[in-house]
Amino acid sequence: MSATTLATPRRRTLPGPRGLVWTVLRLHRTALWIWLAFVTGTAGLLLWLYGPGATAAQQAFDMYGYYVPGGLNSTKEAYDDLFYRPATLISVATFVVPLFAGGALIGRELETGTAQLAWTQSVSPARWLAARLAVPALLIATGTGLLVALYRLLWSAHNGLLVAGYAPRELYFAIGPATVVHPLLGLALGALIGLLVRRALPAIAVAAGTQYVLTALHNRLWPFQHNTPYSPPAELSVHSGAFTSGGALIPDPGCYDSKRCLTEHHVVGFTRNYLPSPEYWPRQLLETGLLLAATAVVVAVAFRVLNRSVTTP
């Protein structure tokens, strides 16, 4: 009688992150959920502005134009204000990234000895740092890229609902590839600061000060169309017009909130076309390239600092 053995069925596991990737996600799951909630909420706001919000604002715009007496313009004004909120949220997130990188991602693990414990196992310091940079970088680039893409879609469809002036122009130059790279540079800077300071709270303080200085320098180095302290920024070129009750397109009579003027010109709607600056793509590509180069340099310095700190007795 021959002995038979029953093969134990192999357990099937779902594909998912393993090793260092899983470790990073596990250790920083709170930050991960906060980031996912931020991206989801901001994307939801952008989609609302693209859909229902734009529909209500367009109705008010078609009926009353840019200026309406009393409280009738509240819908239009609310939409104009909300249009810039996602940009503010993205700026805040960009500022917070280096604080997270310097504090929780690097500084806290060095301070508590978690990193040193990993190095005594099968994880080299270089692999440890690479994982802590690559995983957040992928999540940040994916989330920010999605938000910028939605923002450009919103701008292309409904920028004519914005009140003319400096604000739309500033926003237009802010929704491009450079906006995606900005937080990546912040991630690299925060990691470098964390490696140098090696304590969470001081690293957060240093990262906050560094990011504040860099933001101030960035705003001065990239003026909009040769803006100087002695000359205000040029307005974004706009072609405005008005529709009459007979369907004709006439120059905008500038009636503002005058119902009598609107009646005399038989105005029932308005139109406006922005003329984007030819500086947009040259500036965006140059700024994006410089930010990528700076990010690469900071990452290289971070690995060098880590290597010296490990090899130095």
Side-chain angles (χ1 to χ4, degrees), residues 146-160:
L146 172 64
L147 296 181
V148 169
L150 289 175
Y151 226 145
R152 291 200 62 82
L153 179 66
L154 172 64
W155 171 271
S156 299
H158 302 300
N159 66 77

Side-chain angles (χ1 to χ4, degrees), residues 26 84 110 151 175 222 301:
R26 178 68 177 174
Y84 304 105
L110 291 174
Y151 226 145
I175 48 177
W222 293 107
V301 173

